[in-house]
Amino acid sequence: MSSSSLQWLSLVGAIWLQSINGTNSNFPAYSSQLKQLLSISQLQLNNLAFASDAGKLFGWLSGIAAVYLPLWLVLIIGAFLGLVGYGVQYLFITNHISSLSYAHIFLLTVLAGNSICWINTVCYVVIIRNFPVNYRQVAVGITTSYLGLSAKVYTVAVNAVYSTPTKRAKAYLLFNSVFPLVVCVIAAPLARGINNVGNLRRTKGGLIIMFVITIATGIYAIISSFGSVSKRLAPLNNLIGTATCLLLPLVIPLAVKIRDALTGDWWLNRETRVHSSVVEENIIGVEGLENEVKEDEHLSHDQNSEEAMKAEIGVKLMLQRIEFWLYYFVYFFGATLGLVFLNNLGQIAESRGYSATSSLVSLSSSFGFFGRLIPSLLGYFFSRSKYMISSPASIAAVMAPMAAAFILLLNKSNIALYTSTAIIGVCTGAITSISVSTTTELFGTKNFSVNHNVVVTNIPVGSFLFGYLAALVYRKQGHNEDGKCMGMECYRNTFILWGCFCFLGTFLALILYARTRKFYSQRYFTR
């Protein structure tokens, strides 16, 4: 098989891995049933949501493993961690294991949350190795967008197989443990670098086709989500449609394979000669990745910017920068707050008397998919345009409607619930995607892996603080014997506080934009 075919197959493998890797994102779809099955309070349920995010605190372990172990083995280890974390919980709620305490379930949830980091690490490393410097960020953005589709994939699969809420709660845990393992085994042979990243012109054409496929997938996801809400789309048909969308990216490697078969070895030899210099970029290990990052920086438009050179800093110096703390709290009051809302979506829908929680989760996942994709799409087509705005300005523009969505939730209509969920989903996904480039732009690429892990520590912190606040308000308003709260007052004060926090984050994003405006103007001027 030619290197070009392997290049696109590795991208398809990363898409499949990301589409099943967001196992924590479907937690709200079964959280209410899990609360009932385990006989736990709202505070304890909130702690389980926090435990899943807390697994990210140990994500650095996967980075170390990637240095010393082959990528396919790192992938399998991640799948095995998820199998244990979710599988043991499944055996417990199906009465195959009867000796688990709440502390055991908490630790198993942390383990399951950590498994996501291992699979993510492999996806990023494979894409970085197998795509040219010019298109790596675009390829990473495409694959990352499918992570936002993960909850949709699981919800569609569960609804197609099971009909009752109790069975669905158990099925989520079963699928969370099995799906990643199956897909990791399938994708393991593709988790490696190739000897040639291929023709730049053909790579660009392939990415355009991939954009079309990805956008079509997102449109179908949204339409089918509304179809699920209105019960006009049969679960089995929805499953078939979603599976077809995930198989569509195979069109590109198949087309490349047919082209190579028709052109013969002459083209492959010519391609190898023309692009032999690119082979040097595909270096195995962390040193190779660091060298590639340095080469990226050298080749980028920032090479003439004195400010960009100053931005190449480590963690210690980064923590001393005002820009870092502004950025940290912007993320804290933006993407992290959005994730907390999505984690509590099950209880929010239940308190409003809305039973089709899985459809809401599918809707938020579909819009989150587009939210993650849009920054890459705009960056690809407008990176050299005078209309391209800076990352801090983009985040501020995204957070403003997100803050308004929290206030809209004070309206008790289902339309307000659908609209707010969609807005928060797309804005959370967009901020998550923009943050990757923001970290490299503000603090450099050399220490990106460490710097960005410091930035995202606000996710478990915010998950605990915001989630705990919502749980306290929920418990205070609950009047039933089982502590369940029904009515708009259950989350009214929470929505007001979350909306105010998000408006505060928008204001901080504007301050960050003002402080970095000169830097970004020099950055874009030197393009």
Side-chain angles (χ1 to χ4, degrees):
M1 184 176 294
S2 70
S3 59
S4 296
S5 298
L6 289 174
Q7 178 191 36
W8 292 107
L9 277 175
S10 68
L11 181 65
V12 174
I15 286 174
W16 289 349
L17 288 171
Q18 294 287 33
S19 66
I20 52 84
N21 196 33
T23 49
N24 59 341
S25 62
N26 55 46
F27 178 78
Y30 64 92
S31 58
S32 296
Q33 291 77 26
L34 187 65
K35 176 184 176 182
Q36 181 179 359
L37 289 170
L38 299 178
S39 300
I40 58 179
S41 67
Q42 182 65 27
L43 287 175
Q44 289 176 310
L45 185 67
N46 174 73
N47 289 337
L48 290 183
F50 160 72
S52 182
D53 292 328
K56 296 180 176 67
L57 295 173
F58 306 97
W60 52 271
L61 291 173
S62 61
I64 295 177
V67 176
Y68 300 102
L69 300 176
L71 292 178
W72 67 265
L73 184 56
V74 176
L75 197 61
I76 297 300
I77 291 175
F80 179 76
L81 293 176
L83 178 66
V84 174
Y86 287 114
V88 175
Q89 292 185 64
Y90 171 76
L91 294 176
F92 172 69
I93 66 172
T94 54
N95 298 320
H96 289 87
I97 297 178
S98 58
S99 59
L100 286 183
S101 65
Y102 178 77
H104 291 143
I105 296 176
F106 183 90
L107 292 175
L108 287 170
T109 305
V110 173
L111 185 67
N114 180 250
S115 68
I116 297 173
C117 301
W118 293 71
I119 299 176
N120 269 338
T121 297
V122 173
C123 290
Y124 291 144
V125 171
V126 168
I127 296 302
I128 288 174
R129 292 181 182 179
N130 292 352
F131 277 82
V133 174
N134 307 51
Y135 302 116
R136 283 176 190 160
Q137 185 58 45
V138 175
V140 169
I142 290 175
T143 57
T144 303
S145 66
Y146 279 85
L147 183 63
L149 196 66
S150 189
K152 165 75 174 180
V153 172
Y154 281 94
T155 299
V156 167
V158 169
N159 290 343
V161 179
Y162 297 95
S163 57
T164 62
T166 302
K167 290 182 178 179
R168 286 175 181 172
K170 298 175 182 179
Y172 273 107
L173 290 173
L174 176 62
F175 289 176
N176 281 355
S177 61
V178 174
F179 279 11
L181 179 63
V182 173
V183 177
C184 284
V185 170
I186 295 174
L190 305 175
R192 58 190 177 92
I194 59 176
N195 294 327
N196 193 326
V197 294
N199 183 286
L200 293 178
R201 181 174 58 84
R202 293 182 183 275
T203 299
K204 180 179 180 179
L207 287 174
I208 292 176
I209 297 174
M210 188 61 74
F211 265 131
V212 173
I213 293 174
T214 304
I215 292 172
T217 299
I219 293 174
Y220 171 80
I222 291 176
I223 293 175
S224 62
S225 295
F226 281 115
S228 298
V229 170
S230 61
K231 298 182 179 180
R232 295 179 180 176
L233 185 63
L236 183 58
N237 293 338
N238 200 357
L239 177 63
I240 294 174
T242 303
T244 302
C245 288
L246 293 177
L247 291 174
L248 276 178
L250 280 174
V251 169
I252 297 179
L254 287 175
V256 172
K257 180 65 177 178
I258 294 173
R259 183 204 68 195
D260 292 343
L262 294 176
T263 54
D265 293 337
W266 173 85
W267 166 257
L268 297 180
N269 292 334
R270 178 179 178 272
E271 185 180 87
T272 301
R273 292 195 305 269
V274 171
H275 302 285
S276 60
S277 60
V278 186
V279 178
E280 297 176 0
E281 293 180 4
N282 298 304
I283 305 172
I284 306 301
V286 169
E287 285 188 1
L289 292 178
E290 291 179 350
N291 289 338
E292 288 181 274
V293 167
K294 293 177 182 178
E295 183 177 350
D296 289 2
E297 181 186 5
H298 177 72
L299 292 176
S300 71
H301 47 72
D302 294 336
Q303 60 185 348
N304 296 322
S305 173
E306 183 179 357
E307 291 293 326
M309 298 301 295
K310 291 179 180 179
E312 197 66 55
I313 63 174
V315 173
K316 185 177 180 180
L317 184 56
M318 181 182 72
L319 294 175
Q320 300 175 14
R321 296 284 183 92
I322 296 178
E323 288 78 10
F324 166 76
W325 292 107
L326 285 171
Y327 176 40
Y328 188 90
F329 283 106
V330 166
Y331 198 107
F332 186 73
F333 293 128
T336 296
L337 191 56
L339 291 173
V340 173
F341 167 79
L342 296 177
N343 284 338
N344 285 271
L345 190 55
Q347 280 65 52
I348 292 171
E350 181 186 59
S351 68
R352 300 166 73 104
Y354 186 80
S355 58
T357 306
S358 60
S359 298
L360 271 178
V361 174
S362 178
L363 183 69
S364 66
S365 177
S366 301
F367 276 91
F369 171 85
F370 262 119
R372 291 171 180 267
L373 178 64
I374 288 173
S376 295
L377 190 63
L378 296 178
Y380 180 80
F381 289 105
F382 298 104
S383 60
R384 296 181 179 274
S385 171
K386 63 180 180 179
Y387 301 107
M388 190 67 183
I389 63 176
S390 67
S391 295
S394 300
I395 295 177
V398 168
M399 288 185 65
M402 183 176 174
F406 283 119
I407 304 303
L408 180 62
L409 284 167
L410 298 176
N411 188 304
K412 64 180 181 180
S413 68
N414 286 339
I415 296 297
L417 179 61
Y418 303 150
T419 304
S420 297
T421 300
I423 292 174
I424 295 172
V426 70
C427 292
T428 300
I431 297 171
T432 303
S433 180
I434 296 171
S435 67
V436 176
S437 58
T438 305
T439 302
T440 59
E441 290 165 359
L442 294 180
F443 311 115
T445 54
K446 181 179 180 181
N447 302 297
F448 167 77
S449 59
V450 179
N451 291 346
H452 197 62
N453 279 325
V454 173
V455 172
V456 298
T457 56
N458 70 76
I459 294 179
V461 174
S463 177
F464 176 77
L465 293 179
F466 293 132
Y468 194 78
L469 172 65
L472 285 176
V473 175
Y474 180 94
R475 186 175 67 174
K476 182 179 180 180
Q477 297 295 336
H479 302 294
N480 296 341
E481 294 181 358
D482 58 358
K484 183 180 294 185
C485 181
M486 298 297 295
M488 291 296 296
E489 68 275 6
C490 299
Y491 284 94
R492 181 184 300 275
N493 292 335
T494 298
F495 292 149
I496 294 174
L497 287 173
W498 285 357
C500 292
F501 284 142
C502 199
F503 276 120
L504 175 60
T506 305
F507 178 69
L508 294 177
L510 291 174
I511 296 177
L512 179 62
Y513 163 70
R515 290 185 62 90
T516 58
R517 183 170 56 182
K518 182 178 179 181
F519 161 70
Y520 277 103
S521 63
Q522 292 178 346
R523 176 185 179 88
Y524 295 140
F525 180 76
T526 56
R527 288 186 171 186

